[in-house]
Amino acid sequence: MASLRKLLKAPTPADLAAIDPRSTPGLPKAGRKAEDPKAWSAAELARLGTDLAGLQERLYASTRSGEDRRRLLIVLQAMDAGGKDGLVRHVGGVFNPLGLEVTSFKAPTTEELAHHFLWRIRQRLPEPGHVGIFNRSHYEDVLIVRVHDLVPAEEWRKRYDEINAFERELVDDGVILVKIMLHISPGEQLARLRERLEDPTKYWKYNPADVDERARWDDYRAAYDEALTRCTEAAPWYVVPADRKWYRNWAVASLLVEVLSAADPAYPPPDFDVAAERKRLLKG
């Protein structure tokens, strides 16, 4: 199978309009031929989850000496109803919760607004050996801020360079940075929003403001295209077609296995005499 990192990497310049949100790049033959693709994906996710859990343990163990500072940071961005919460639940759920930190960034608080826009992001960076997931991120400051004219254009435009410098700092400090844009279509978003209004158990998910945001679809797409084009100096963007939830889950889990396998975290060698400790333990 071709590398998902290559297949999903955002082109330069980025053009979301040219990427089919219902496409399934990299899907293996078994997935394409499956009578029930949802069941196939669930079984694959269980298998991939075992791999991810093992890689997470190796990542955690490799940092115990303090010399290896690597940690995994997954940045998720999407239009409203794009599937970030579902992805966190299905893929994030395979990680050991003791080493997992999930942050959902909402509208900034008064305290956060009093600081530089990256201040609140820095507070939530994962520790060495841990996995962090950002549900929305610092990119909101060149997305919603841009679309709604929340700051002058000259201010949000300089943030691209600030983001590149920030991400370079992270990568140089050992952060394995994986930036994922879940790409859905306007039609799929409409279907998901309607579903929330038709199921009383999902009313809590519905936000009337989402309808207003739909009217700005083209503005958001232009903002995403520029962010995905300009902010790739330290780490690439991956665009995951996300109209099909089962494909989204499989693709992201597979991508993470590929990225972490390439990082190849290793269990550290013992700093004690194993044979001597075996003897000492048996004597006890």
Side-chain angles (χ1 to χ4, degrees):
M1 184 180 69
S3 165
L4 272 178
R5 286 182 293 176
K6 292 182 179 179
L7 292 173
L8 298 177
K9 183 180 177 181
T12 302
D15 183 7
L16 290 175
I19 300 174
D20 182 0
R22 290 190 63 78
S23 61
T24 55
L27 189 69
K29 184 176 180 180
R32 297 196 303 271
K33 300 291 186 180
E35 292 184 9
D36 184 349
K38 293 181 181 179
W40 174 86
S41 178
E44 280 293 289
L45 191 58
R47 179 184 66 80
L48 292 165
T50 299
D51 293 340
L52 282 173
L55 287 162
Q56 181 194 16
E57 181 178 85
R58 285 163 51 188
L59 180 66
Y60 182 83
S62 70
T63 65
R64 292 309 88 196
S65 69
E67 296 180 5
D68 189 340
R69 290 184 49 79
R70 287 182 298 176
R71 58 269 205 205
L72 174 65
L73 176 59
I74 305 163
V75 171
L76 299 179
Q77 289 288 157
M79 296 290 284
D80 295 322
K84 300 183 302 299
D85 292 343
L87 184 67
V88 170
R89 183 169 64 255
H90 288 287
V91 177
V94 306
F95 289 109
N96 184 332
L98 294 177
L100 177 66
E101 300 154 18
V102 180
T103 303
S104 295
F105 287 101
K106 307 295 185 183
T109 65
T110 301
E111 180 186 13
E112 290 168 344
L113 286 172
H115 293 81
H116 187 272
F117 78 97
L118 290 172
W119 178 81
R120 66 173 182 163
I121 307 299
R122 291 182 181 278
Q123 312 306 307
R124 303 301 302 172
L125 293 173
E127 302 174 17
H130 285 217
V131 175
I133 301 178
F134 284 176
N135 185 336
R136 298 191 188 275
S137 67
H138 44 295
Y139 281 94
E140 293 299 297
D141 286 279
V142 291
L143 294 170
I144 190 171
V145 165
R146 166 179 172 165
V147 171
H148 285 274
D149 295 318
L150 299 180
V151 301
E154 58 268 24
E155 182 171 340
W156 61 254
R157 285 199 174 279
K158 71 179 183 180
R159 289 176 178 174
Y160 296 120
D161 289 337
E162 293 181 275
I163 287 172
N164 280 326
F166 170 63
E167 292 180 351
R168 170 52 58 193
E169 175 189 334
L170 296 184
V171 170
D172 288 347
D173 192 42
V175 172
I176 302 168
L177 182 59
V178 182
K179 302 184 294 186
I180 298 171
M181 195 275 177
L182 301 179
H183 180 41
I184 65 167
S185 64
E188 179 63 21
Q189 185 196 57
L190 176 60
R192 294 181 187 182
L193 293 176
R194 288 183 61 183
E195 182 182 4
R196 294 176 183 181
L197 285 176
E198 293 167 358
D199 183 349
T201 67
K202 295 185 178 181
Y203 288 167
W204 66 274
K205 287 186 172 184
Y206 186 81
N207 183 351
D210 291 346
V211 179
D212 300 321
E213 295 299 277
R214 271 180 61 78
R216 298 174 178 267
W217 189 276
D218 290 343
D219 294 334
Y220 273 107
R221 185 165 61 188
Y224 267 108
D225 281 347
E226 186 162 7
L228 269 58
T229 297
R230 296 191 58 181
C231 298
T232 59
E233 292 182 8
W237 270 101
Y238 299 103
V239 179
V240 176
D243 272 13
R244 304 174 194 265
K245 297 179 183 179
W246 61 267
Y247 170 78
R248 173 202 72 195
N249 294 340
W250 171 83
V252 172
S254 298
L255 175 65
L256 293 177
V257 167
E258 189 174 317
V259 169
L260 279 177
S261 294
D264 194 24
Y267 291 110
D271 57 0
F272 53 86
D273 187 323
V274 175
E277 287 302 308
R278 285 194 185 118
K279 291 180 180 180
R280 198 164 70 92
L281 182 62
L282 290 175
K283 286 182 181 179

